[in-house]
Amino acid sequence: MEIEPDFFAKEAFYQKIKDLDKTIVIVTHTNLKKHFGHYLKKRLIAHGIDTKLIDFPTGEKAKSEETIAKIQHKMLGMHLGKNTAILALGGGIVSDVAGFVASTYNRGIPLILFPTSLLAMVDAAIGGKTGVNTKYGKNLIGSIYMPEMIFLDLRMLNFLPDKEWTNGLAEVMKYAVSLDSHVFEILENGLDKWAGKDPAFIQELIIQSCQLKISVVEKDTLESGYRRVLNFGHTIAHAIEVCEKYEFAHGHAVIIGVLVEAYISMRAANFPEESFEKIVTLTRAYNFPLKVSKKTTKKKIMHAMQYDKKSKDCTPRFVLLKSLGEVHSFDGEYCTEVKNSIIENALDWMFTLFKEV
Ligand SMILES: NC(=O)c1ccc[n+]([C@@H]2O[C@H](COP(=O)([O-])OP(=O)(O)OC[C@H]3O[C@@H](n4cnc5c(N)ncnc54)[C@H](O)[C@@H]3O)[C@@H](O)[C@H]2O)c1
Ligand SMILES: [Zn+2]
């Protein structure tokens, strides 16, 4: 993995891709095609690299089996074979979709990740997970497939809309709350730097996040136990995304999930109340959007959680906080069942505070 401010201007970047000696298929969001996609394609071709460009619409709804099939068929129609590599240029949706295509096309072709959103840089591009959404749940169809190269280009963030910054920060909050109280302190002291998009501060958040995720993934590549810690906040978040019919940004669902699961931790696992209050205060200070629409109801959340991949016999299991920056191990399972009354109580709390007015 490399971090640089402007890869497109660096000869070494093109040389690394040229050394793969493959036809490159850039897979990107439609709205990034015009500025980034076409430009990168032109530059790769200028460096003697055979390059194609495929785009698909933005939004969680497009992270689907239909999109995967469309991309695969486009590539088959172009007569592309094993001598092809995919370059995923975009946010987490692009890396999840393009990564899944790379892992299955011709039974696996090389994958290069070029994440462009903060969320993809701090989370989605790290760890090798790919996947798509179905009506049953998020990311239930997918693969674990490691990329050959990852290029984190901080200059890309200059074009990122404000709400996408907040979505990325939600995953940083997840790391801070569940894995590293030092990152929590960095966030507590970094409000002004965040408001000013201070490059050194942003780079620090990205590096800290990548290091935390890599250290978890290295201990448990196949998600048999410890890797579940990365799922903190996501039992609730994924259920909200299903209820909202994938019209909700992932980061938006994650921050709500972090709060509700911190609440559950307080009621079910002795997570200290003052630490819970600190999380609520920090969330408010960073102005996270904290509303769900009328589509999300308690009953629908309870139903959607049955399909969560940590569920056992349709009963959801949660990663729970022990203290700020630390989760319970539950004998190496890193998740546990929680009484329905506690979950419902936590959801009531969520609705009182956040329901759309
Ligand atoms: N595989 C994993 O380990 C993993 C981890 C975390 C999240 N995810 C997945 O990632 C997805 C969310 O990722 P996301 O928030 O990046 O969503 P996204 O890919 O939809 O990107 C968000 C929006 O920002 C735009 N955008 C991206 N980069 C831009 C740039 N540089 N300039 C201007 N606009 C830009 C995109 O076009 C899109 O409209 C979810 O589906 C989630 O499940 C996967
Ligand atoms: Zn996430």
Side-chain angles (χ1 to χ4, degrees):
M1 185 175 83
E2 296 179 46
I3 304 189
E4 288 263 356
D6 191 1
F7 282 109
F8 289 2
K10 308 259 163 44
E11 283 307 309
F13 166 67
Y14 298 101
Q15 192 56 50
K16 280 190 184 123
I17 295 181
K18 197 167 181 176
D19 288 347
L20 277 178
D21 197 21
K22 305 269 183 209
T23 293
I24 299 295
V25 178
I26 301 170
V27 176
T28 194
H29 294 292
T30 305
N31 63 335
L32 300 184
K33 180 172 86 167
K34 198 164 153 219
H35 296 298
F36 302 145
H38 281 312
Y39 179 76
L40 180 58
K41 181 180 172 189
K42 261 203 309 210
R43 298 287 288 141
L44 289 170
I45 289 174
H47 283 79
I49 304 165
D50 183 29
T51 307
K52 319 279 182 206
L53 179 61
I54 295 177
D55 64 294
F56 65 95
T58 44
E60 285 291 336
K61 278 200 167 163
K63 194 175 128 173
S64 65
E65 291 164 295
E66 290 76 27
T67 300
I68 298 288
K70 273 189 193 157
I71 296 172
Q72 287 166 336
H73 286 212
K74 268 189 194 158
M75 289 174 65
L76 290 168
M78 290 172 184
H79 302 283
L80 297 171
K82 198 80 185 153
N83 196 32
T84 311
I86 286 186
L87 190 154
L89 175 73
I93 291 184
V94 168
S95 50
D96 277 5
V97 164
F100 190 45
V101 173
S103 72
T104 47
Y105 194 80
N106 273 231
R107 299 204 170 89
I109 56 173
L111 172 67
I112 305 161
L113 295 182
F114 202 110
T116 61
S117 69
L118 180 64
L119 190 143
M121 291 184 194
V122 298
D123 196 343
I126 318 292
K129 276 202 195 174
T130 82
V132 293
N133 306 325
T134 63
K135 66 175 181 177
Y136 296 99
K138 279 270 298 182
N139 304 331
L140 295 178
I141 309 285
S143 59
I144 293 187
Y145 194 68
M146 289 299 171
E148 297 267 325
M149 305 174 200
I150 310 176
F151 298 101
L152 297 190
D153 190 336
L154 301 177
R155 190 168 169 271
M156 288 287 148
L157 298 174
N158 293 347
F159 310 94
L160 196 67
D162 278 353
K163 74 173 179 5
E164 301 303 340
W165 280 90
T166 315
N167 286 333
L169 190 67
E171 300 280 15
V172 182
M173 270 290 277
K174 172 196 77 174
Y175 294 125
V177 166
S178 59
L179 289 174
D180 195 340
S181 58
H182 171 62
V183 176
F184 195 89
E185 278 164 31
I186 294 178
L187 289 175
E188 281 186 316
N189 298 324
L191 272 161
D192 290 343
K193 291 182 194 155
W194 173 257
K197 302 286 177 285
D198 179 290
F201 179 69
I202 302 303
Q203 180 160 332
E204 182 174 17
L205 291 184
I206 294 173
I207 291 173
Q208 294 278 351
S209 301
C210 289
Q211 280 173 349
L212 283 168
K213 183 154 185 189
I214 289 166
S215 72
V216 172
V217 171
E218 277 177 355
K219 281 189 203 152
D220 179 16
T221 22
L222 297 176
E223 201 176 24
S224 49
Y226 183 55
R227 189 167 171 160
R228 291 194 184 119
V229 299
L230 296 170
N231 224 244
F232 174 72
H234 282 63
T235 315
I236 294 290
H238 286 163
I240 291 175
E241 291 185 81
V242 173
C243 295
E244 296 285 337
K245 300 198 181 307
Y246 299 117
E247 284 160 2
F248 216 66
H250 178 68
H252 186 172
V254 167
I255 197 65
I256 298 173
V258 164
L259 285 172
V260 175
E261 294 185 25
Y263 186 102
I264 294 174
S265 302
M266 177 173 69
R267 293 283 181 257
N270 295 322
F271 178 56
E273 190 168 344
E274 65 271 22
S275 301
F276 171 74
E277 292 301 340
K278 275 175 120 179
I279 298 171
V280 176
T281 304
L282 193 62
T283 310
R284 292 207 184 285
Y286 273 94
N287 253 327
F288 281 101
L290 296 172
K291 277 182 187 169
V292 291
S293 85
K294 291 190 176 74
K295 280 187 244 161
T296 297
T297 62
K298 196 161 79 174
K299 196 170 159 201
K300 284 188 190 159
I301 291 182
M302 297 300 280
H303 177 76
M305 285 191 307
Q306 291 176 21
Y307 294 97
D308 185 85
K309 62 183 184 300
K310 299 181 299 306
S311 286
K312 221 176 175 181
D313 303 326
C314 296
T315 304
R317 295 190 298 167
F318 294 83
V319 179
L320 294 183
L321 302 171
K322 189 173 181 180
S323 59
L324 207 48
E326 195 188 358
V327 297
H328 285 279
S329 109
F330 298 116
D331 295 327
E333 283 289 298
Y334 290 94
C335 62
T336 191
E337 289 177 20
V338 171
K339 276 190 204 150
N340 267 358
S341 58
I342 294 182
I343 305 171
E344 290 186 8
N345 190 238
L347 292 174
D348 285 339
W349 172 78
M350 172 186 102
F351 281 114
T352 343
L353 282 181
F354 309 140
K355 196 160 170 76
E356 202 171 51
V357 281

